[in-house]
Amino acid sequence: MGLQTRINAAVESAIHVGQSGSAPSKLSDALHYACTPGGARIRPTILLSVAMACGDDAPEITNAAAAALELIHCASLVHDDLPCFDDADIRRGKPSVHRAYSEPLAVLTGDSLIILAFEILARAAVHSPDRAVRLIRTLSHQSGMPNGICAGQGWESEAKIDLSAYHRSKTGALFIAATQMGAIAAGQDEEPWFELGARIGEAFQVADDLRDALYDSETLGKPAGQDDLHGRPNAVSQLGVDGAISRLRDILSGAISSIPSCPGEAQLAEMVRLQAEALTPVPASRAAKAG
Amino acid sequence: MGLQTRINAAVESAIHVGQSGSAPSKLSDALHYACTPGGARIRPTILLSVAMACGDDAPEITNAAAAALELIHCASLVHDDLPCFDDADIRRGKPSVHRAYSEPLAVLTGDSLIILAFEILARAAVHSPDRAVRLIRTLSHQSGMPNGICAGQGWESEAKIDLSAYHRSKTGALFIAATQMGAIAAGQDEEPWFELGARIGEAFQVADDLRDALYDSETLGKPAGQDDLHGRPNAVSQLGVDGAISRLRDILSGAISSIPSCPGEAQLAEMVRLQAEALTPVPASRAAKAG
């Protein structure tokens, strides 16, 4: 089974848990709508890749971990798109959840997906209570306050932003969760996997800044130019396009050399290289020269 | 230590976990603002009362369970007050979180409190992984979709409401969580405690309907007449004031007789009786006659 197939099956199975019985049908539909079809599923792909590099000896736990992480990510997209944040009409090329279902249902969809993520991990405890508890601790730590993605969004309401804390929590947190949860799911210590997650997170931030600055809304599948519009810090405005691309490559080399020793180390390095290729946008001027 | 002191200490300690380090300060403050000073703390009071009736042999777990339950309840109040739901300006006699801090911060406060609830329970796993996992399963089940308070709110977006599922999930769910989590925290089976929670939830719903119909906003500490305004089903419009009070008493007798056999059975029955007194509003006409 390919990684994408495995991730999509895990996400479908998790959503199904939230839909059984006599659930209100619109909210039930909205849970599915918010998570499928997926985007690049990059966080669960990293999680699975790390788990597999570490032996993946309890695949049910790995699947639950991948689904839980993706549910939290999707919940954050649904809430970030709300009128009081980005007020985004489109997401992944279709109407955002509050546009398709209503604002109350978008708030509830995000809330329900967050709760479902922890329910899925608690259910996976039948396979290993110890790993399930550590997964819940890691996911909650990287999602909430004071270190997680909620803190990251919270920084945008401050007059004075701690930029390093802002980027680490806003973008880095769920990549750290991805590498650490992959290790935990495979029965390994999570600490040595912090750095890989943090560096992939940094790379992703720079790549996102590049895409936001270079691409139009249609290519992105979401509104472009949001950083300029909301006055958010952006690597392109600080380093220029070439500087940002060069920085992205440096971070990814660092990420690869930070991979802890494990049976699937070489294959994991290859995966990070592939993600790097996929992440790096080609500026329109160079694409034209190459064409 | 009295129950209220114990609950407030547990809630303060839980919020402190969400505020440590370099957290964004407004969101950090809003977490505390949303949970203190508390309302009646009725759900954690029931949880602690059940745990104590069952021996309370692991008080750290009981405290974590009480705090987690109250955090989820406070999160639901913050999100329910948002402009897209009740658009409430006041809550517990002070400005609602979105009025005091902004709408983005209110969304993030609710999200952060939900996540923090699960983090607190996962941290309590050092005392007993088995009980922590069961607490997380129970709390997530009674909070999210398809059975929890998110489902309850979700029903309000449906053209045709399943009234029994609506009331069970909207109001009953967190009372069922209260009795079952109290039993789990004390190392007992949660199943026999379902009925007590469900009946207290029904009683609370009728009492809330009575208060919504009889009291003004100042007495309530939140907007009155919301059920009529939003066309929501209400026991007073169905049974009249006297009929609703009589129904409330019947439900509470049933609740008391449903208490499973346990060392502190008599004391627990007394607690339910006291809650019943506190819950039952005195209609203004009778208060005038009595005065």
Side-chain angles (χ1 to χ4, degrees):
Chain A
M1 199 192 297
L3 285 192
Q4 290 299 308
T5 311
R6 186 174 166 188
I7 291 165
N8 288 331
V11 169
E12 289 282 353
S13 155
I15 294 167
H16 187 69
V17 168
Q19 293 180 316
S20 55
S22 64
S25 67
K26 285 181 194 162
L27 180 54
S28 190
D29 290 350
L31 295 186
H32 196 263
Y33 182 91
C35 300
T36 58
R41 305 276 199 217
I42 184 166
R43 293 158 194 80
T45 299
I46 293 167
L47 189 154
L48 252 60
S49 301
V50 170
M52 289 161 78
C54 294
D56 193 24
D57 68 339
E60 299 88 351
I61 302 239
T62 308
N63 292 346
L69 180 61
E70 183 66 9
L71 260 47
I72 291 281
H73 174 60
C74 292
S76 79
L77 299 181
V78 174
H79 281 183
D80 288 0
D81 284 345
L82 284 170
C84 70
F85 291 107
D86 289 354
D87 196 13
D89 291 339
I90 51 170
R91 166 67 68 180
R92 291 172 176 169
K94 64 182 186 179
S96 52
V97 174
H98 67 276
R99 286 283 169 208
Y101 286 90
S102 80
E103 205 178 326
L105 284 171
V107 173
L108 292 172
T109 297
D111 292 354
S112 302
L113 290 174
I114 294 170
I115 295 165
L116 191 54
F118 294 107
E119 182 163 11
I120 292 303
L121 292 176
R123 282 169 173 249
V126 294
H127 304 293
S128 164
D130 170 64
R131 293 186 199 177
V133 163
R134 287 167 58 209
L135 288 168
I136 293 167
R137 275 196 73 152
T138 302
L139 185 57
S140 57
H141 186 74
Q142 303 296 351
S143 303
M145 274 279 285
N147 297 298
I149 49 174
C150 287
Q153 279 287 94
W155 278 112
E156 295 182 8
S157 292
E158 295 294 319
K160 204 175 163 208
I161 296 185
D162 176 338
L163 266 183
S164 134
Y166 170 65
H167 282 305
R168 191 192 56 230
S169 52
K170 166 119 181 161
T171 313
L174 288 194
F175 288 100
I176 296 166
T179 56
Q180 292 199 317
M181 290 173 77
I184 294 168
Q188 300 301 307
D189 181 16
E190 69 266 33
E191 276 317 303
W193 292 90
F194 179 92
E195 195 176 343
L196 177 62
R199 287 186 183 235
I200 296 176
E202 277 179 68
F204 194 83
Q205 181 63 52
V206 176
D208 207 48
D209 289 356
L210 275 161
R211 279 199 306 272
D212 187 79
L214 296 173
Y215 288 175
D216 61 16
S217 299
E218 200 180 336
T219 312
L220 280 177
K222 61 181 181 181
Q226 290 293 301
D227 290 342
D228 267 2
L229 192 65
H230 296 275
R232 291 192 288 238
N234 182 305
V236 177
S237 56
Q238 289 165 348
L239 305 169
V241 170
D242 286 343
I245 289 178
S246 156
R247 171 114 184 84
L248 176 59
R249 293 200 170 125
D250 287 349
I251 296 168
L252 283 162
S253 319
I256 288 168
S257 57
S258 86
I259 295 174
S261 172
C262 61
E265 194 177 329
Q267 211 176 346
L268 186 58
E270 185 56 26
M271 187 280 295
V272 177
R273 253 181 235 110
L274 283 172
Q275 294 288 355
E277 289 296 319
L279 274 179
T280 313
V282 182
S285 57
R286 293 197 203 166
K289 277 182 215 161
Chain B
M1 199 192 296
L3 285 192
Q4 290 299 308
T5 310
R6 187 174 166 189
I7 291 165
N8 287 332
V11 168
E12 288 282 351
S13 154
I15 294 167
H16 187 70
V17 169
Q19 293 180 316
S20 54
S22 65
S25 66
K26 285 182 196 162
L27 180 54
S28 189
D29 291 348
L31 296 187
H32 196 262
Y33 183 90
C35 300
T36 58
R41 304 278 199 217
I42 184 166
R43 293 158 193 80
T45 299
I46 294 167
L47 188 154
L48 251 60
S49 301
V50 169
M52 288 161 78
C54 295
D56 193 24
D57 67 339
E60 298 88 351
I61 303 239
T62 307
N63 292 346
L69 180 60
E70 184 65 8
L71 260 47
I72 291 281
H73 174 59
C74 292
S76 79
L77 298 181
V78 174
H79 282 184
D80 288 1
D81 284 345
L82 284 170
C84 70
F85 289 108
D86 288 354
D87 196 12
D89 292 338
I90 50 169
R91 165 68 67 180
R92 292 173 175 168
K94 62 183 188 179
S96 54
V97 174
H98 67 276
R99 286 283 168 206
Y101 286 90
S102 81
E103 204 177 328
L105 284 171
V107 172
L108 292 173
T109 297
D111 292 355
S112 301
L113 291 175
I114 294 171
I115 295 165
L116 191 54
F118 294 108
E119 181 163 12
I120 293 302
L121 292 176
R123 282 169 173 249
V126 293
H127 304 292
S128 165
D130 170 64
R131 293 187 199 178
V133 163
R134 287 166 60 209
L135 288 168
I136 293 167
R137 275 195 74 153
T138 301
L139 185 58
S140 57
H141 186 74
Q142 302 296 351
S143 304
M145 273 281 284
N147 296 298
I149 50 174
C150 287
Q153 278 288 92
W155 278 112
E156 295 182 8
S157 292
E158 294 294 320
K160 205 176 162 208
I161 296 186
D162 176 337
L163 267 185
S164 135
Y166 170 64
H167 282 305
R168 191 191 57 230
S169 52
K170 166 120 181 159
T171 312
L174 288 195
F175 288 101
I176 296 166
T179 55
Q180 292 198 317
M181 290 172 78
I184 294 167
Q188 300 301 307
D189 182 16
E190 69 266 32
E191 275 318 302
W193 291 92
F194 179 91
E195 196 177 341
L196 176 63
R199 287 185 184 236
I200 296 176
E202 277 179 67
F204 194 81
Q205 182 63 53
V206 176
D208 207 46
D209 288 356
L210 275 161
R211 280 199 305 272
D212 186 79
L214 296 175
Y215 287 176
D216 61 16
S217 298
E218 201 181 333
T219 313
L220 280 176
K222 62 180 180 181
Q226 289 294 301
D227 290 343
D228 266 3
L229 192 67
H230 295 276
R232 291 193 287 239
N234 181 305
V236 178
S237 56
Q238 288 165 349
L239 306 168
V241 170
D242 285 344
I245 289 179
S246 156
R247 172 114 185 84
L248 176 58
R249 294 198 171 128
D250 286 351
I251 296 168
L252 284 163
S253 318
I256 289 169
S257 57
S258 85
I259 295 174
S261 173
C262 61
E265 195 178 330
Q267 212 176 345
L268 186 59
E270 184 56 26
M271 186 280 295
V272 176
R273 253 180 235 111
L274 283 173
Q275 294 287 355
E277 290 296 319
L279 275 178
T280 313
V282 182
S285 56
R286 292 195 206 168
K289 275 182 216 161

